Amino acid sequence: MRPCVLASRILPLALLIAAAGGCGRGEAPPGSAAAPAGEPAASAPASAHDAADADADTDAQKQADAIAAQFPAIPVIVVPEILGVSPAQRALESAMAPVLDPIAGVSVSPARCSTDGALLNDAGITSVDAQGNVSRNGDQGIFKIAADGSGTANYEGGLITVNADGSGSINGDGGDEDGEGGALVRVEADGSGSYNGPAGVITLDGKGGGTWNGDSGLIRNNGDGSGSWNGPQGLVKIGSDGSGTWNGPLGLVVVNGDGTGRIGAPAQAVKLPPLAKVAPAGRFPPMKKFAPPGAPCGYLITLNDRVLFDFDKSDIRSDAAKVLDTLAAALKDVRSAGMEVGGHTDAKGSDDYNQALSDRRAQAVVAALRERGAAQQATAKGYGEARPVAPNEIGGQDNPGGRQLNRRVEIFVRT
């Protein structure tokens, strides 16, 4: 009779036992010894099925690690500057209209310079410092204040009104010939308020919470470290306890906040680090203290790194062509006294590494614009992590939204 040979590396233990029972009517395979009665049989070697499971678990964890690196940060709510917008800037904005999207990271703002001509960093009307407090350059207002504390000012094309209790409004004049494109900011005495203009509708509650409804979806900041973003990358929810979900192009990702999570369909348990809290939204500065820093010196085009580059890369992605084509066409008609393309990073990594990365990114953007016939006289300069517009950390905790604002390329058009 042909002997029965067991493939112990293929069959799991249960099948191994069943197969052994059918070999030679209870006879042991050649070269094997039956275990004495009452003694446990020797354990079987790990099966190929077990090895396949282990490989699958490893692949799932690798995918989870990649997903963790890509988990979207909820964008910081930034109220744009609406004063000091020149006719030249409005013309540029009109030419860039197909790609302008502040939530996505493409925006144009008035540039302001110090007395020595250096560009001043300012993310917008509101900002938050590393301790979670509001910061704003300038401590003297621009109003002629009446005895009751109220006043008005016409400032660079906009009408500013301040009330006796510190509330007020900033009414930017109409953007184009039809009066479209203007913006209205209303400020309450407690730092709450609203913005309604080209960037969408923004509300701030003065306590760290707010919403931003714009072209790239709805952002909600609850002010307690939690928030959500329903936009182009899907629905992102982050809890104040480090948990969260992302239902987007990679399927449903669940982060439990305790170092574990689930990915894929059917769901697989994996290790996923807790998510950083959503930083508080800013407050409006007291109207009596409102004073844009420095002096007007041109305008600033900001391109967030996610618009142009993959993470940690300096090669411009192919899908950034539309942004660059539109930008180059708009810049060809710009008259300027100078143009600088500056690269900026967040504070992760060494100073030297970030400096080199920002240099390469600035040079890549200049080269791409020149290929399209624009920015022929522009210079490229990397600033590394030296010129943040938002804190990389708040209270010693990571601030992904702030780091996202800092990873950018700025085109400073000096007028």
Side-chain angles (χ1 to χ4, degrees), residues 341-369:
V341 177
H344 303 266
T345 69
D346 61 21
K348 285 205 169 184
S350 69
D351 291 351
D352 290 344
Y353 182 87
N354 286 331
Q355 180 63 48
L357 177 62
S358 66
D359 279 328
R360 294 196 303 272
R361 286 183 166 182
Q363 292 166 5
V365 172
V366 169
L369 292 175

Side-chain angles (χ1 to χ4, degrees), residues 8 11-13 16 41-47:
S8 62
L11 299 175
L13 183 59
L16 178 63
S43 60
S47 70

Side-chain angles (χ1 to χ4, degrees), residues 54-362:
D55 289 343
D57 290 343
T58 300
D59 291 342
Q61 188 57 52
K62 288 180 179 178
Q63 183 183 4
D65 293 342
I67 289 173
Q70 299 177 57
F71 201 102
I74 293 178
V76 175
I77 298 175
V78 177
V79 179
E81 297 283 7
I82 65 174
L83 295 175
V85 177
S86 66
Q89 180 180 322
R90 292 196 194 98
L92 178 64
E93 290 175 341
S94 178
M96 290 180 60
V99 297
L100 276 182
D101 187 342
I103 294 179
V106 183
S107 62
V108 182
S109 60
R112 307 188 67 83
C113 294
S114 60
T115 54
D116 62 0
L119 179 67
L120 296 175
N121 283 334
D122 202 7
I125 292 176
T126 61
S127 58
V128 178
D129 66 16
Q131 286 71 47
N133 302 314
V134 174
S135 61
R136 177 73 189 188
N137 291 324
D139 57 3
Q140 294 183 349
I142 57 176
F143 308 96
K144 293 181 179 179
I145 303 296
D148 66 353
S150 64
T152 60
N154 276 302
Y155 187 76
E156 295 178 2
L159 175 63
I160 307 172
T161 303
V162 58
N163 301 319
D165 63 356
S167 64
S169 63
I170 308 171
N171 196 344
D173 58 2
D176 57 25
E177 295 178 354
D178 298 322
E180 299 294 330
L184 175 64
V185 172
R186 297 188 184 277
V187 180
E188 302 301 329
D190 61 359
S192 64
S194 63
Y195 162 97
N196 193 337
V201 177
I202 298 172
T203 62
L204 298 176
D205 66 8
K207 301 175 183 178
T211 62
W212 186 357
N213 196 346
D215 289 342
S216 283
L218 174 62
I219 297 167
R220 187 177 300 278
N221 186 329
N222 298 322
D224 61 356
S226 67
S228 63
W229 178 26
N230 193 350
Q233 299 187 64
L235 177 59
V236 180
K237 294 183 178 180
I238 295 178
S240 58
D241 60 355
S243 65
T245 59
W246 176 22
N247 196 347
L250 300 178
L252 178 62
V253 179
V254 178
V255 179
N256 296 326
D258 60 359
T260 66
R262 304 191 304 277
I263 64 171
Q268 291 181 279
V270 292
K271 296 178 181 179
L272 283 172
L275 301 170
K277 290 185 177 182
V278 180
R283 298 169 62 248
F284 286 99
M287 291 300 294
K288 293 178 183 179
K289 298 289 187 180
F290 182 77
C297 55
Y299 41 91
L300 196 65
I301 303 165
T302 300
L303 304 171
N304 196 270
D305 77 329
R306 66 179 183 267
V307 176
L308 301 175
F309 306 103
D310 286 325
F311 177 73
D312 209 28
K313 304 295 184 183
S314 58
D315 297 323
I316 295 177
R317 295 199 314 265
S318 58
D319 61 356
K322 178 182 177 181
V323 172
L324 291 171
D325 290 346
T326 303
L327 176 58
L331 288 175
K332 288 177 184 178
D333 297 326
V334 167
R335 289 187 177 184
S336 69
M339 188 181 300
E340 180 189 275
V341 177
H344 303 266
T345 69
D346 61 21
K348 285 205 169 184
S350 69
D351 291 351
D352 290 344
Y353 182 87
N354 286 331
Q355 180 63 48
L357 177 62
S358 66
D359 279 328
R360 294 196 303 272
R361 286 183 166 182

